[in-house]
Amino acid sequence: KGRTSILADVDDGRVVGGIESVAVSQRAAMEHLKYDDLEDALVLYEDICESYYSHFEECLRRNNADEYMEDQVSMFQSYIGACLHNIGIIYLLMNKPREAHSHFERASAKRQKTLGVGHTDHVASHVKEAICLIALGQLTEALVILEECLTLSKDGARSISDQRQMAEIYNNLGCLYYSMGNHEKAGSYFLESFEAQNIALEHSLYAGARFSCQ
C-alpha cells in the first residue's frame, strides 16, 4: 500500500513512560500507519489512551500524598494529549472530520494545560482543530482559530520547526481566504508562507553545512 504523508506526532521514547504494554502498542500502531491500516492503528491508539488513563488513575490512588504527584499528573496529561492528537490524525485520514475535531479539541486543551499556551505541540493540535472546522464548512470559526495560532506561533518561533509551523498556518490562512473570495488577502498570506519556508530552508541548509564540517 502507499504511504500517507501524515505522521503520528508521538516520539516513541518520550511516550512510553515505562509502561511496557503501551510501548508494544505504540510500535504496532506506527507499523499499521506505515501501511495505511487505519482501522487497526485507531484501535491500538485508543487502547494506548485507555492505558494511560488507567495508569494515571492508579497512580493517583496509590500516591495521592506524593510530593511529586503534580509532576506525574502533568506528564501523563501530556502523554494523553499526544495520543488524542494521533487519534485525531487517523480520523482525518479516514475522512471523519467531526470525530477528528473532537479529539484535536481535547488534545489542544491538555497540551495547553501541561505544556503552556503557544507551545509548538499546543499550536499543532489547535491548527488541526481549524482544519476540521474547514472540512465541516465552519469557515468563520476556523479563521478565528488560525489567526490565534498565527499570533501564538509568531510569539514563540525559535526553531526551524517553528518556522515550518508558521509557514503552514500562513498557507492555511491563504487557502481559507481564497475559498472565501478574498484573493488579495489570500495572496498576502501565501507570500508570507513562502517567506517563512525560505527562512526555514536557509536555517536547515546552514545547520546541515555546520554539522557536516565537524
Side-chain angles (χ1 to χ4, degrees), residues 22-84:
V22 170
V24 172
S25 295
Q26 172 71 21
R27 288 192 289 271
M30 293 297 287
E31 281 299 307
H32 283 301
L33 283 178
K34 282 167 61 177
Y35 298 102
D36 292 341
D37 297 328
L38 302 181
E39 294 282 357
D40 290 334
L42 179 61
V43 169
L44 285 168
Y45 272 117
E46 287 175 339
D47 287 345
I48 290 169
C49 202
E50 181 60 33
S51 296
Y52 281 142
Y53 274 116
S54 297
H55 189 79
F56 174 66
E57 289 169 359
E58 181 67 14
C59 286
L60 285 178
R61 187 181 66 80
R62 290 184 177 182
N63 308 305
N64 202 35
D66 194 323
E67 62 179 308
Y68 300 110
M69 178 52 58
E70 187 175 340
D71 291 338
Q72 293 181 46
V73 169
S74 179
M75 177 182 70
F76 273 98
Q77 292 281 19
S78 68
Y79 293 167
I80 291 168
C83 197
L84 290 169

Short mmCIF file of all heavy atoms in Angstrom, two decimals, residues 22-84:
data_model
loop_
_atom_site.label_atom_id
_atom_site.label_comp_id
_atom_site.label_asym_id
_atom_site.label_seq_id
_atom_site.Cartn_x
_atom_site.Cartn_y
_atom_site.Cartn_z
N VAL A 22 2.13 -0.34 26.60
CA VAL A 22 1.98 0.84 25.76
C VAL A 22 3.09 0.90 24.73
O VAL A 22 2.87 1.25 23.57
CB VAL A 22 1.94 2.11 26.62
CG1 VAL A 22 2.03 3.36 25.74
CG2 VAL A 22 0.68 2.15 27.46
N ALA A 23 4.30 0.55 25.13
CA ALA A 23 5.43 0.57 24.20
C ALA A 23 5.18 -0.38 23.03
O ALA A 23 5.43 -0.03 21.87
CB ALA A 23 6.71 0.18 24.94
N VAL A 24 4.68 -1.57 23.33
CA VAL A 24 4.40 -2.55 22.28
C VAL A 24 3.29 -2.04 21.36
O VAL A 24 3.39 -2.12 20.13
CB VAL A 24 4.01 -3.91 22.91
CG1 VAL A 24 3.53 -4.87 21.83
CG2 VAL A 24 5.19 -4.50 23.67
N SER A 25 2.23 -1.51 21.96
CA SER A 25 1.10 -1.00 21.17
C SER A 25 1.53 0.17 20.30
O SER A 25 1.09 0.32 19.17
CB SER A 25 -0.04 -0.57 22.10
OG SER A 25 -0.57 -1.68 22.79
N GLN A 26 2.39 1.02 20.85
CA GLN A 26 2.87 2.18 20.12
C GLN A 26 3.63 1.76 18.86
O GLN A 26 3.38 2.28 17.77
CB GLN A 26 3.78 3.02 21.02
CG GLN A 26 4.51 4.17 20.33
CD GLN A 26 3.58 5.29 19.95
OE1 GLN A 26 2.49 5.40 20.52
NE2 GLN A 26 3.99 6.12 19.03
N ARG A 27 4.51 0.80 19.02
CA ARG A 27 5.29 0.33 17.86
C ARG A 27 4.37 -0.32 16.83
O ARG A 27 4.54 -0.12 15.62
CB ARG A 27 6.39 -0.63 18.31
CG ARG A 27 7.54 0.04 19.05
CD ARG A 27 8.71 -0.91 19.22
NE ARG A 27 8.41 -1.96 20.18
CZ ARG A 27 8.64 -1.87 21.48
NH1 ARG A 27 9.14 -0.75 21.98
NH2 ARG A 27 8.37 -2.88 22.28
N ALA A 28 3.41 -1.10 17.31
CA ALA A 28 2.48 -1.77 16.39
C ALA A 28 1.62 -0.75 15.65
O ALA A 28 1.38 -0.89 14.44
CB ALA A 28 1.60 -2.74 17.17
N ALA A 29 1.16 0.28 16.36
CA ALA A 29 0.33 1.31 15.73
C ALA A 29 1.10 2.04 14.64
O ALA A 29 0.56 2.33 13.56
CB ALA A 29 -0.16 2.30 16.79
N MET A 30 2.37 2.34 14.91
CA MET A 30 3.18 3.02 13.90
C MET A 30 3.38 2.15 12.67
O MET A 30 3.38 2.65 11.54
CB MET A 30 4.54 3.41 14.50
CG MET A 30 4.47 4.46 15.60
SD MET A 30 3.85 6.04 15.01
CE MET A 30 5.23 6.63 14.06
N GLU A 31 3.51 0.84 12.88
CA GLU A 31 3.64 -0.07 11.75
C GLU A 31 2.36 -0.08 10.91
O GLU A 31 2.41 -0.07 9.68
CB GLU A 31 3.96 -1.49 12.24
CG GLU A 31 5.41 -1.71 12.62
CD GLU A 31 6.35 -1.47 11.45
OE1 GLU A 31 6.14 -2.08 10.39
OE2 GLU A 31 7.29 -0.68 11.61
N HIS A 32 1.22 -0.08 11.57
CA HIS A 32 -0.05 -0.04 10.84
C HIS A 32 -0.18 1.26 10.04
O HIS A 32 -0.66 1.25 8.90
CB HIS A 32 -1.22 -0.18 11.80
CG HIS A 32 -1.45 -1.58 12.29
ND1 HIS A 32 -1.71 -2.63 11.44
CD2 HIS A 32 -1.45 -2.11 13.54
CE1 HIS A 32 -1.87 -3.73 12.14
NE2 HIS A 32 -1.71 -3.45 13.42
N LEU A 33 0.26 2.36 10.62
CA LEU A 33 0.18 3.65 9.91
C LEU A 33 1.08 3.65 8.68
O LEU A 33 0.75 4.26 7.67
CB LEU A 33 0.57 4.80 10.85
CG LEU A 33 -0.50 5.24 11.86
CD1 LEU A 33 0.05 6.36 12.75
CD2 LEU A 33 -1.77 5.71 11.16
N LYS A 34 2.22 2.99 8.78
CA LYS A 34 3.14 2.93 7.64
C LYS A 34 2.47 2.32 6.42
O LYS A 34 2.79 2.67 5.29
CB LYS A 34 4.40 2.14 8.01
CG LYS A 34 5.40 2.91 8.85
CD LYS A 34 6.45 2.00 9.44
CE LYS A 34 7.25 1.28 8.39
NZ LYS A 34 8.33 0.45 9.00
N TYR A 35 1.53 1.41 6.65
CA TYR A 35 0.86 0.73 5.55
C TYR A 35 -0.60 1.14 5.41
O TYR A 35 -1.39 0.45 4.75
CB TYR A 35 0.98 -0.79 5.74
CG TYR A 35 2.42 -1.25 5.73
CD1 TYR A 35 3.08 -1.56 6.90
CD2 TYR A 35 3.13 -1.34 4.52
CE1 TYR A 35 4.41 -1.96 6.89
CE2 TYR A 35 4.45 -1.73 4.50
CZ TYR A 35 5.09 -2.05 5.69
OH TYR A 35 6.41 -2.43 5.68
N ASP A 36 -0.95 2.28 6.04
CA ASP A 36 -2.30 2.84 5.94
C ASP A 36 -3.38 1.89 6.47
O ASP A 36 -4.53 1.92 6.00
CB ASP A 36 -2.64 3.24 4.50
CG ASP A 36 -1.81 4.43 4.04
OD1 ASP A 36 -1.26 5.13 4.90
OD2 ASP A 36 -1.72 4.64 2.82
N ASP A 37 -3.04 1.06 7.44
CA ASP A 37 -4.04 0.23 8.09
C ASP A 37 -4.69 1.06 9.21
O ASP A 37 -4.39 0.89 10.40
CB ASP A 37 -3.40 -1.04 8.68
CG ASP A 37 -2.80 -1.93 7.61
OD1 ASP A 37 -3.35 -1.94 6.48
OD2 ASP A 37 -1.79 -2.59 7.88
N LEU A 38 -5.56 1.96 8.79
CA LEU A 38 -6.05 2.99 9.71
C LEU A 38 -6.94 2.43 10.82
O LEU A 38 -6.85 2.86 11.97
CB LEU A 38 -6.81 4.06 8.92
CG LEU A 38 -6.00 4.76 7.82
CD1 LEU A 38 -6.84 5.82 7.13
CD2 LEU A 38 -4.72 5.37 8.38
N GLU A 39 -7.80 1.49 10.48
CA GLU A 39 -8.70 0.92 11.49
C GLU A 39 -7.90 0.24 12.61
O GLU A 39 -8.20 0.43 13.79
CB GLU A 39 -9.66 -0.08 10.84
CG GLU A 39 -10.65 0.52 9.86
CD GLU A 39 -11.81 1.22 10.57
OE1 GLU A 39 -11.86 1.16 11.83
OE2 GLU A 39 -12.65 1.81 9.88
N ASP A 40 -6.90 -0.54 12.22
CA ASP A 40 -6.08 -1.23 13.22
C ASP A 40 -5.28 -0.23 14.05
O ASP A 40 -5.14 -0.40 15.27
CB ASP A 40 -5.13 -2.21 12.55
CG ASP A 40 -5.87 -3.40 11.94
OD1 ASP A 40 -6.96 -3.72 12.43
OD2 ASP A 40 -5.35 -3.99 10.98
N ALA A 41 -4.74 0.79 13.40
CA ALA A 41 -3.99 1.82 14.12
C ALA A 41 -4.88 2.55 15.10
O ALA A 41 -4.48 2.85 16.23
CB ALA A 41 -3.36 2.80 13.13
N LEU A 42 -6.11 2.83 14.69
CA LEU A 42 -7.06 3.54 15.55
C LEU A 42 -7.35 2.74 16.81
O LEU A 42 -7.35 3.28 17.92
CB LEU A 42 -8.35 3.82 14.79
CG LEU A 42 -9.46 4.54 15.57
CD1 LEU A 42 -8.99 5.91 16.04
CD2 LEU A 42 -10.70 4.67 14.70
N VAL A 43 -7.60 1.45 16.64
CA VAL A 43 -7.89 0.59 17.80
C VAL A 43 -6.72 0.61 18.78
O VAL A 43 -6.91 0.72 20.00
CB VAL A 43 -8.18 -0.86 17.34
CG1 VAL A 43 -8.21 -1.80 18.53
CG2 VAL A 43 -9.50 -0.92 16.59
N LEU A 44 -5.51 0.52 18.25
CA LEU A 44 -4.33 0.50 19.11
C LEU A 44 -4.14 1.83 19.84
O LEU A 44 -3.83 1.84 21.04
CB LEU A 44 -3.09 0.17 18.28
CG LEU A 44 -2.97 -1.30 17.85
CD1 LEU A 44 -1.89 -1.46 16.80
CD2 LEU A 44 -2.67 -2.18 19.06
N TYR A 45 -4.32 2.95 19.14
CA TYR A 45 -4.15 4.24 19.81
C TYR A 45 -5.24 4.47 20.86
O TYR A 45 -4.99 5.09 21.90
CB TYR A 45 -4.14 5.38 18.79
CG TYR A 45 -2.76 5.66 18.26
CD1 TYR A 45 -2.46 5.49 16.91
CD2 TYR A 45 -1.74 6.09 19.11
CE1 TYR A 45 -1.19 5.72 16.43
CE2 TYR A 45 -0.47 6.32 18.63
CZ TYR A 45 -0.19 6.15 17.29
OH TYR A 45 1.07 6.38 16.82
N GLU A 46 -6.44 3.98 20.60
CA GLU A 46 -7.49 4.09 21.62
C GLU A 46 -7.13 3.24 22.84
O GLU A 46 -7.38 3.65 23.98
CB GLU A 46 -8.83 3.66 21.03
CG GLU A 46 -9.41 4.70 20.07
CD GLU A 46 -10.68 4.25 19.39
OE1 GLU A 46 -10.92 3.02 19.33
OE2 GLU A 46 -11.44 5.12 18.92
N ASP A 47 -6.52 2.06 22.60
CA ASP A 47 -6.06 1.22 23.71
C ASP A 47 -4.95 1.92 24.50
O ASP A 47 -4.91 1.85 25.73
CB ASP A 47 -5.55 -0.12 23.19
CG ASP A 47 -6.67 -1.04 22.73
OD1 ASP A 47 -7.84 -0.76 23.08
OD2 ASP A 47 -6.39 -2.02 22.02
N ILE A 48 -4.05 2.58 23.76
CA ILE A 48 -2.96 3.31 24.41
C ILE A 48 -3.52 4.41 25.30
O ILE A 48 -3.11 4.58 26.46
CB ILE A 48 -2.01 3.91 23.36
CG1 ILE A 48 -1.22 2.81 22.66
CG2 ILE A 48 -1.04 4.92 24.01
CD1 ILE A 48 -0.45 3.27 21.43
N CYS A 49 -4.48 5.14 24.77
CA CYS A 49 -5.09 6.24 25.52
C CYS A 49 -5.77 5.69 26.79
O CYS A 49 -5.63 6.26 27.88
CB CYS A 49 -6.10 6.95 24.64
SG CYS A 49 -6.46 8.65 25.16
N GLU A 50 -6.47 4.58 26.64
CA GLU A 50 -7.14 3.96 27.78
C GLU A 50 -6.12 3.49 28.82
O GLU A 50 -6.33 3.61 30.03
CB GLU A 50 -8.00 2.79 27.31
CG GLU A 50 -8.77 2.09 28.42
CD GLU A 50 -9.74 3.01 29.15
OE1 GLU A 50 -10.29 3.93 28.51
OE2 GLU A 50 -9.94 2.80 30.37
N SER A 51 -5.00 2.96 28.35
CA SER A 51 -3.93 2.51 29.25
C SER A 51 -3.37 3.67 30.05
O SER A 51 -3.10 3.55 31.25
CB SER A 51 -2.80 1.83 28.46
OG SER A 51 -3.25 0.66 27.83
N TYR A 52 -3.18 4.81 29.39
CA TYR A 52 -2.69 6.00 30.09
C TYR A 52 -3.67 6.44 31.17
O TYR A 52 -3.28 6.75 32.29
CB TYR A 52 -2.46 7.14 29.10
CG TYR A 52 -1.17 7.03 28.32
CD1 TYR A 52 -1.12 7.40 26.97
CD2 TYR A 52 0.01 6.58 28.92
CE1 TYR A 52 0.05 7.31 26.25
CE2 TYR A 52 1.18 6.48 28.20
CZ TYR A 52 1.20 6.84 26.87
OH TYR A 52 2.36 6.76 26.16
N TYR A 53 -4.94 6.48 30.81
CA TYR A 53 -5.95 6.89 31.79
C TYR A 53 -5.96 5.93 32.98
O TYR A 53 -6.01 6.38 34.14
CB TYR A 53 -7.34 6.93 31.14
CG TYR A 53 -7.66 8.23 30.46
CD1 TYR A 53 -7.87 8.29 29.08
CD2 TYR A 53 -7.75 9.42 31.18
CE1 TYR A 53 -8.17 9.48 28.44
CE2 TYR A 53 -8.05 10.62 30.56
CZ TYR A 53 -8.25 10.65 29.19
OH TYR A 53 -8.55 11.84 28.56
N SER A 54 -5.91 4.63 32.71
CA SER A 54 -5.94 3.64 33.79
C SER A 54 -4.72 3.76 34.68
O SER A 54 -4.83 3.73 35.92
CB SER A 54 -6.01 2.22 33.20
OG SER A 54 -7.19 2.05 32.47
N HIS A 55 -3.55 3.88 34.07
CA HIS A 55 -2.31 4.00 34.84
C HIS A 55 -2.30 5.30 35.64
O HIS A 55 -1.88 5.33 36.80
CB HIS A 55 -1.11 3.96 33.90
CG HIS A 55 0.20 3.85 34.62
ND1 HIS A 55 0.67 2.67 35.13
CD2 HIS A 55 1.14 4.79 34.92
CE1 HIS A 55 1.85 2.87 35.71
NE2 HIS A 55 2.15 4.15 35.60
N PHE A 56 -2.79 6.36 35.02
CA PHE A 56 -2.88 7.66 35.66
C PHE A 56 -3.77 7.59 36.91
O PHE A 56 -3.41 8.08 37.99
CB PHE A 56 -3.45 8.66 34.65
CG PHE A 56 -3.74 10.01 35.20
CD1 PHE A 56 -2.73 10.84 35.65
CD2 PHE A 56 -5.05 10.49 35.24
CE1 PHE A 56 -3.00 12.10 36.15
CE2 PHE A 56 -5.33 11.74 35.73
CZ PHE A 56 -4.31 12.55 36.19
N GLU A 57 -4.93 6.95 36.78
CA GLU A 57 -5.85 6.81 37.91
C GLU A 57 -5.25 5.95 39.01
O GLU A 57 -5.44 6.21 40.20
CB GLU A 57 -7.18 6.22 37.43
CG GLU A 57 -7.98 7.20 36.58
CD GLU A 57 -9.16 6.53 35.88
OE1 GLU A 57 -9.33 5.29 36.06
OE2 GLU A 57 -9.90 7.25 35.17
N GLU A 58 -4.52 4.91 38.61
CA GLU A 58 -3.88 4.04 39.60
C GLU A 58 -2.81 4.79 40.37
O GLU A 58 -2.67 4.64 41.59
CB GLU A 58 -3.26 2.83 38.88
CG GLU A 58 -2.58 1.82 39.79
CD GLU A 58 -3.56 1.09 40.71
OE1 GLU A 58 -4.78 1.16 40.47
OE2 GLU A 58 -3.09 0.45 41.67
N CYS A 59 -2.05 5.64 39.68
CA CYS A 59 -1.03 6.45 40.34
C CYS A 59 -1.66 7.40 41.35
O CYS A 59 -1.15 7.60 42.45
CB CYS A 59 -0.23 7.24 39.31
SG CYS A 59 0.93 6.25 38.36
N LEU A 60 -2.77 7.99 40.96
CA LEU A 60 -3.47 8.90 41.87
C LEU A 60 -3.96 8.15 43.11
O LEU A 60 -3.88 8.67 44.24
CB LEU A 60 -4.66 9.54 41.15
CG LEU A 60 -4.36 10.64 40.14
CD1 LEU A 60 -5.66 11.12 39.50
CD2 LEU A 60 -3.64 11.82 40.80
N ARG A 61 -4.46 6.95 42.90
CA ARG A 61 -5.00 6.17 44.02
C ARG A 61 -3.90 5.77 45.00
O ARG A 61 -4.07 5.83 46.22
CB ARG A 61 -5.69 4.92 43.49
CG ARG A 61 -6.42 4.10 44.54
CD ARG A 61 -7.07 2.88 43.93
NE ARG A 61 -6.08 1.93 43.44
CZ ARG A 61 -5.43 1.07 44.23
NH1 ARG A 61 -5.64 1.07 45.54
NH2 ARG A 61 -4.57 0.21 43.71
N ARG A 62 -2.74 5.40 44.45
CA ARG A 62 -1.66 4.90 45.30
C ARG A 62 -0.82 6.01 45.93
O ARG A 62 -0.31 5.87 47.03
CB ARG A 62 -0.73 4.00 44.48
CG ARG A 62 -1.34 2.68 44.08
CD ARG A 62 -0.29 1.84 43.37
NE ARG A 62 -0.80 0.53 43.03
CZ ARG A 62 -0.06 -0.42 42.44
NH1 ARG A 62 1.20 -0.17 42.14
NH2 ARG A 62 -0.60 -1.59 42.15
N ASN A 63 -0.62 7.09 45.19
CA ASN A 63 0.36 8.10 45.61
C ASN A 63 -0.23 9.49 45.76
O ASN A 63 0.39 10.48 45.38
CB ASN A 63 1.52 8.16 44.59
CG ASN A 63 2.11 6.79 44.32
OD1 ASN A 63 2.53 6.11 45.22
ND2 ASN A 63 2.11 6.39 43.05
N ASN A 64 -1.42 9.58 46.29
CA ASN A 64 -2.10 10.86 46.35
C ASN A 64 -1.33 11.89 47.17
O ASN A 64 -1.45 13.10 46.95
CB ASN A 64 -3.51 10.68 46.93
CG ASN A 64 -4.43 11.82 46.54
OD1 ASN A 64 -4.33 12.35 45.45
ND2 ASN A 64 -5.31 12.20 47.45
N ALA A 65 -0.53 11.41 48.14
CA ALA A 65 0.21 12.33 49.01
C ALA A 65 1.65 12.54 48.53
O ALA A 65 2.42 13.25 49.17
CB ALA A 65 0.21 11.80 50.44
N ASP A 66 2.01 11.95 47.43
CA ASP A 66 3.38 12.05 46.90
C ASP A 66 3.68 13.50 46.53
O ASP A 66 2.91 14.15 45.83
CB ASP A 66 3.52 11.16 45.66
CG ASP A 66 4.98 10.96 45.27
OD1 ASP A 66 5.76 11.92 45.41
OD2 ASP A 66 5.32 9.85 44.82
N GLU A 67 4.85 13.98 46.98
CA GLU A 67 5.21 15.38 46.69
C GLU A 67 5.46 15.62 45.20
O GLU A 67 5.43 16.75 44.74
CB GLU A 67 6.46 15.77 47.49
CG GLU A 67 7.70 14.96 47.14
CD GLU A 67 8.92 15.40 47.92
OE1 GLU A 67 9.22 16.62 47.90
OE2 GLU A 67 9.56 14.54 48.55
N TYR A 68 5.71 14.55 44.46
CA TYR A 68 5.95 14.68 43.02
C TYR A 68 4.70 14.39 42.19
O TYR A 68 4.77 14.28 40.97
CB TYR A 68 7.08 13.74 42.58
CG TYR A 68 8.39 14.00 43.28
CD1 TYR A 68 8.88 13.09 44.22
CD2 TYR A 68 9.11 15.16 43.02
CE1 TYR A 68 10.08 13.34 44.88
CE2 TYR A 68 10.31 15.41 43.67
CZ TYR A 68 10.80 14.49 44.60
OH TYR A 68 11.98 14.73 45.25
N MET A 69 3.55 14.25 42.85
CA MET A 69 2.33 13.86 42.15
C MET A 69 1.96 14.88 41.08
O MET A 69 1.52 14.51 39.99
CB MET A 69 1.18 13.70 43.15
CG MET A 69 -0.16 13.35 42.51
SD MET A 69 -0.08 11.91 41.40
CE MET A 69 0.54 10.65 42.51
N GLU A 70 2.14 16.14 41.36
CA GLU A 70 1.78 17.17 40.37
C GLU A 70 2.57 17.00 39.08
O GLU A 70 2.03 17.13 37.98
CB GLU A 70 2.02 18.57 40.95
CG GLU A 70 1.52 19.69 40.06
CD GLU A 70 1.66 21.06 40.70
OE1 GLU A 70 1.78 21.14 41.93
OE2 GLU A 70 1.67 22.06 39.94
N ASP A 71 3.87 16.67 39.22
CA ASP A 71 4.71 16.44 38.03
C ASP A 71 4.25 15.20 37.27
O ASP A 71 4.24 15.18 36.03
CB ASP A 71 6.17 16.28 38.43
CG ASP A 71 6.78 17.57 38.96
OD1 ASP A 71 6.23 18.64 38.63
OD2 ASP A 71 7.77 17.49 39.70
N GLN A 72 3.87 14.15 38.02
CA GLN A 72 3.41 12.93 37.37
C GLN A 72 2.09 13.16 36.63
O GLN A 72 1.90 12.65 35.52
CB GLN A 72 3.23 11.82 38.41
CG GLN A 72 4.53 11.34 39.04
CD GLN A 72 4.31 10.23 40.05
OE1 GLN A 72 3.57 9.29 39.78
NE2 GLN A 72 4.93 10.35 41.21
N VAL A 73 1.21 13.93 37.26
CA VAL A 73 -0.06 14.25 36.62
C VAL A 73 0.18 15.00 35.31
O VAL A 73 -0.40 14.68 34.27
CB VAL A 73 -0.95 15.10 37.55
CG1 VAL A 73 -2.15 15.66 36.79
CG2 VAL A 73 -1.43 14.27 38.73
N SER A 74 1.07 15.98 35.36
CA SER A 74 1.38 16.77 34.17
C SER A 74 1.98 15.88 33.08
O SER A 74 1.63 16.02 31.90
CB SER A 74 2.36 17.89 34.54
OG SER A 74 2.70 18.65 33.41
N MET A 75 2.85 14.97 33.47
CA MET A 75 3.49 14.08 32.50
C MET A 75 2.46 13.23 31.77
O MET A 75 2.45 13.15 30.54
CB MET A 75 4.51 13.18 33.21
CG MET A 75 5.19 12.18 32.29
SD MET A 75 6.33 11.09 33.18
CE MET A 75 5.17 10.09 34.14
N PHE A 76 1.56 12.61 32.53
CA PHE A 76 0.58 11.73 31.91
C PHE A 76 -0.46 12.52 31.10
O PHE A 76 -0.95 12.04 30.09
CB PHE A 76 -0.09 10.84 32.95
CG PHE A 76 0.68 9.58 33.21
CD1 PHE A 76 1.53 9.49 34.29
CD2 PHE A 76 0.59 8.50 32.34
CE1 PHE A 76 2.28 8.34 34.50
CE2 PHE A 76 1.33 7.35 32.55
CZ PHE A 76 2.17 7.26 33.64
N GLN A 77 -0.77 13.72 31.54
CA GLN A 77 -1.69 14.55 30.76
C GLN A 77 -1.08 14.87 29.40
O GLN A 77 -1.78 14.91 28.38
CB GLN A 77 -2.01 15.85 31.52
CG GLN A 77 -2.83 15.65 32.78
CD GLN A 77 -4.32 15.46 32.51
OE1 GLN A 77 -4.71 15.13 31.40
NE2 GLN A 77 -5.15 15.67 33.51
N SER A 78 0.23 15.13 29.37
CA SER A 78 0.89 15.42 28.10
C SER A 78 0.91 14.18 27.20
O SER A 78 0.74 14.28 25.98
CB SER A 78 2.31 15.94 28.33
OG SER A 78 3.15 14.93 28.86
N TYR A 79 1.11 12.99 27.80
CA TYR A 79 1.06 11.75 27.03
C TYR A 79 -0.33 11.55 26.42
O TYR A 79 -0.47 11.18 25.25
CB TYR A 79 1.38 10.55 27.91
CG TYR A 79 2.80 10.48 28.42
CD1 TYR A 79 3.13 9.59 29.44
CD2 TYR A 79 3.80 11.28 27.89
CE1 TYR A 79 4.44 9.51 29.92
CE2 TYR A 79 5.10 11.20 28.36
CZ TYR A 79 5.41 10.32 29.38
OH TYR A 79 6.69 10.24 29.84
N ILE A 80 -1.35 11.79 27.23
CA ILE A 80 -2.73 11.63 26.77
C ILE A 80 -3.02 12.63 25.65
O ILE A 80 -3.67 12.31 24.66
CB ILE A 80 -3.72 11.80 27.93
CG1 ILE A 80 -3.60 10.62 28.91
CG2 ILE A 80 -5.16 11.91 27.42
CD1 ILE A 80 -4.31 10.83 30.23
N GLY A 81 -2.52 13.87 25.81
CA GLY A 81 -2.70 14.88 24.76
C GLY A 81 -2.10 14.44 23.44
O GLY A 81 -2.72 14.60 22.38
N ALA A 82 -0.91 13.86 23.48
CA ALA A 82 -0.26 13.38 22.26
C ALA A 82 -1.05 12.25 21.63
O ALA A 82 -1.21 12.18 20.40
CB ALA A 82 1.16 12.91 22.59
N CYS A 83 -1.57 11.36 22.47
CA CYS A 83 -2.35 10.22 21.96
C CYS A 83 -3.66 10.69 21.33
O CYS A 83 -4.05 10.21 20.27
CB CYS A 83 -2.62 9.24 23.10
SG CYS A 83 -3.13 7.62 22.54
N LEU A 84 -4.34 11.63 21.97
CA LEU A 84 -5.57 12.19 21.42
C LEU A 84 -5.31 12.85 20.07
O LEU A 84 -6.11 12.76 19.15
CB LEU A 84 -6.19 13.19 22.40
CG LEU A 84 -6.79 12.61 23.68
CD1 LEU A 84 -7.12 13.73 24.67
CD2 LEU A 84 -8.04 11.79 23.37
#
